[in-house]
Amino acid sequence: MAMVSANTIYSFLFFITLARHALPTITKPRRFVTKLVHRDNVLSPYYNPIDSAKQDIESSITRFAYLSAIESGTHDKHTTPTAADRGLFYVEFSIGQPPFSQLAVMDTGSSLIWVNCLTCDLCSQEENHQIFDPSKSSTYTPMPCKPYHCPSCSWENKCMFKIRYVRGIGLKGILSKEQLTCSTSDGDTNIISNVTIGCAESNRLDIDQDNRGVFGLAMDETRWPTSLVTQMGSKFSYCIGNMNDPNYAYNRLIIGDGAVMEGYSTPLEVYKAHYYVKMVGISLGEKDLDINPNVFRKTPDEDNGVVIDSGSAYTWLAGKVYDELRFEVQSLLETQLQEYRYVARPWQLCYIGSVSRDLAGFPVVTFRFADGADLGLDVGSLFSQVSRDVFCMAVGPSYVNGNSRQKLSVIGMMAQQQYNVGFDLNSKMLFFQRIECELLDD
């Protein structure tokens, strides 16, 4: 057998080393892509077809009260919104290793992801097998008080958190690092390690029994160590389809690489962990409403401006703006439909009839923003069928919570139907793209 020289071996090893360096490095995109489940979707474990749409109104009012309290400084610094709203969307993901399936409320007004943990007492009266047990996860690590910035510290040197809701005593627990996993529609799996989560040990919420956690999408590094949005590059997008279709299955949330920043853009401002946009006007069909753009302006330390929000089904407009929109809608419908008045809600504009049957040809209401961005509300986004024979405008006046709060406007989720909404927190821009969510690839 022929002998191989030392030079031949050296040349062969050198070739392998060179080839390794020449090959491109393939890295998996750093992103979190998952399905959003509307609470009133058949895919939701909380689906109840006989639930009254009245809950949308009541819980949206509560949500608005929270947002205005944030603005006025009258809230506890750990106060966050409630989760009792039929307009809410749940983020579908798994936590820990082995992965434990979770549904948590998507919330652009909260910066922390928290879930109920097995040590939790009075946790919505859930069965133990439905609650995450951190002792069974190999990736769960409680965060020590140092070097992290902790809201409070336990005697065991663990980072603690406490959140107070608008209703109920609230919850508290341990801040931890944990692994999150999500499955995309094409069967791929995304795993994100070392995510800051809150493990709720005491949950005494006088709210919806379905609430198992919150998936915060806000930025507020002054309260919690790095949020998931910051960790993933400070970009995210969500696409919302038809909220009235209980079989719709294409709502999506993307965080990080691949977040969809398409369509028209407008400046975005982050203030007290909420997202503000620069609204400049409203039109009804071809008619521009007589509104002074200054009414939408955000000024420091004042209860005003326009918030885009995932926690409210309804939209709330500053008093004068709402009055103008209401007048124009009434003018179009006064000869066609009979108004219906709720004694408990005299501010709400309602009619006897059906949205799908009686509003054919009704013009689109367009919210207009700085730099030319638009958000168009068709009849399914502007009106809500609250009963079989009555529908109401899914827009309310800010003064429903008192005259001191009548300058704040909030764009709710019904107004965002049929849109992909992209948040680029690095460039401080918000994107609106009207699209069928099914067309967005994972």
Side-chain angles (χ1 to χ4, degrees):
M1 182 172 64
M3 299 294 293
V4 180
S5 69
N7 286 338
T8 301
I9 294 175
Y10 175 80
S11 298
F12 180 72
L13 292 175
F14 177 78
F15 174 78
I16 292 177
T17 301
L18 183 64
R20 284 178 177 173
H21 284 286
L23 288 174
T25 301
I26 301 176
T27 58
K28 196 170 185 177
R30 187 168 178 77
R31 62 176 185 162
F32 185 94
V33 185
T34 188
K35 183 184 298 182
L36 290 175
V37 181
H38 184 220
R39 182 177 165 180
D40 284 350
N41 191 286
V42 293
L43 299 173
S44 168
Y46 317 128
Y47 174 64
N48 183 353
I50 64 173
D51 269 355
S52 171
K54 183 179 72 172
Q55 291 178 335
D56 282 348
I57 304 168
E58 295 173 347
S59 52
S60 292
I61 290 174
T62 301
R63 174 71 169 187
F64 180 83
Y66 157 69
L67 292 171
S68 56
I70 286 282
E71 281 299 306
S72 62
T74 59
H75 72 300
D76 180 285
K77 67 177 180 178
H78 299 302
T79 302
T80 57
T82 68
D85 192 332
R86 290 174 64 248
L88 292 181
F89 286 82
Y90 292 88
V91 180
E92 193 175 69
F93 66 104
S94 294
I95 186 171
Q97 185 58 247
F100 187 86
S101 181
Q102 292 283 310
L103 284 178
V105 176
M106 180 179 76
D107 187 9
T108 55
S110 300
S111 54
L112 179 67
I113 298 172
W114 69 261
V115 299
N116 285 334
C117 292
L118 189 59
T119 54
C120 167
D121 60 326
L122 301 180
C123 274
S124 302
Q125 301 177 355
E126 294 178 285
E127 298 292 335
N128 285 348
H129 68 272
Q130 294 179 306
I131 303 177
F132 174 61
D133 184 352
S135 68
K136 294 181 179 179
S137 172
S138 62
T139 51
Y140 176 83
T141 305
M143 294 172 58
C145 292
K146 292 183 178 180
Y148 298 105
H149 169 72
C150 295
S152 63
C153 193
S154 74
W155 64 273
E156 298 175 300
N157 194 39
K158 293 180 180 178
C159 246
M160 305 295 292
F161 75 97
K162 183 183 293 184
I163 297 175
R164 183 167 297 164
Y165 279 65
V166 175
R167 290 176 288 180
I169 298 174
L171 60 89
K172 62 181 180 180
I174 298 173
L175 287 175
S176 313
K177 292 290 187 180
E178 185 52 290
Q179 174 179 289
L180 301 187
T181 305
C182 63
S183 299
T184 61
S185 61
D186 61 1
D188 196 8
T189 298
N190 298 141
I191 298 175
I192 309 298
S193 301
N194 296 316
V195 178
T196 300
I197 65 141
C199 196
E201 295 181 323
S202 178
N203 185 346
R204 300 170 183 267
L205 303 181
D206 181 25
I207 60 172
D208 197 316
Q209 295 297 305
D210 301 334
N211 182 31
R212 298 182 188 177
V214 166
F215 200 98
L217 294 174
M219 286 185 65
D220 187 2
E221 306 307 326
T222 63
R223 289 185 59 189
W224 322 115
T226 308
S227 67
L228 178 61
V229 170
T230 304
Q231 182 178 344
M232 300 296 290
S234 300
K235 288 185 178 182
F236 70 92
S237 63
Y238 54 74
C239 190
I240 304 299
N242 184 358
M243 291 168 58
N244 296 313
D245 180 0
N247 296 296
Y248 193 82
Y250 303 104
N251 304 304
R252 290 285 185 272
L253 170 67
I254 304 175
I255 307 175
D257 292 348
V260 181
M261 305 295 153
E262 301 288 346
Y264 295 102
S265 63
T266 190
L268 179 70
E269 180 184 356
V270 182
Y271 183 75
K272 293 185 178 179
H274 289 90
Y275 297 117
Y276 286 81
V277 287
K278 295 183 178 180
M279 198 164 170
V280 296
I282 298 177
S283 60
L284 178 59
E286 298 298 319
K287 181 178 182 178
D288 291 339
L289 274 58
D290 185 16
I291 298 171
N292 185 338
N294 290 332
V295 74
F296 300 117
R297 182 177 298 173
K298 173 67 188 139
T299 54
D301 301 320
E302 286 195 42
D303 192 5
N304 57 10
V306 181
V307 175
I308 185 162
D309 183 50
S310 70
S312 172
Y314 272 40
T315 289
W316 301 95
L317 294 177
K320 293 181 179 179
V321 179
Y322 171 79
D323 292 342
E324 182 70 17
L325 177 60
R326 178 190 173 111
F327 174 79
E328 294 295 337
V329 172
Q330 280 180 308
S331 298
L332 286 178
L333 297 179
E334 63 182 352
T335 61
Q336 303 175 37
L337 298 171
Q338 180 182 344
E339 282 194 39
Y340 184 91
R341 296 189 182 277
Y342 283 99
V343 175
R345 300 189 298 275
W347 52 266
Q348 190 167 28
L349 181 60
C350 300
Y351 292 91
I352 297 174
S354 164
V355 172
S356 59
R357 182 189 66 231
D358 298 320
L359 292 179
F362 190 87
V364 171
V365 169
T366 303
F367 291 170
R368 295 185 286 106
F369 302 89
D371 294 355
D374 288 338
L375 184 66
L377 283 65
D378 57 21
V379 292
S381 299
L382 184 65
F383 297 96
S384 174
Q385 193 76 41
V386 298
S387 70
R388 187 179 64 177
D389 301 317
V390 177
F391 66 86
C392 300
M393 193 163 68
V395 179
S398 298
Y399 55 69
V400 73
N401 280 292
N403 290 332
S404 63
R405 294 167 176 171
Q406 64 177 333
K407 295 181 180 180
L408 178 66
S409 297
V410 177
I411 300 174
M413 290 302 275
M414 287 191 65
Q416 299 175 56
Q417 291 180 97
Q418 317 296 345
Y419 275 86
N420 180 83
V421 184
F423 295 72
D424 187 339
L425 307 182
N426 294 312
S427 63
K428 295 183 179 180
M429 298 297 289
L430 183 76
F431 293 79
F432 292 115
Q433 181 187 27
R434 190 171 182 88
I435 192 172
E436 167 53 55
C437 300
E438 187 178 1
L439 299 177
L440 297 176
D441 286 334
D442 288 332

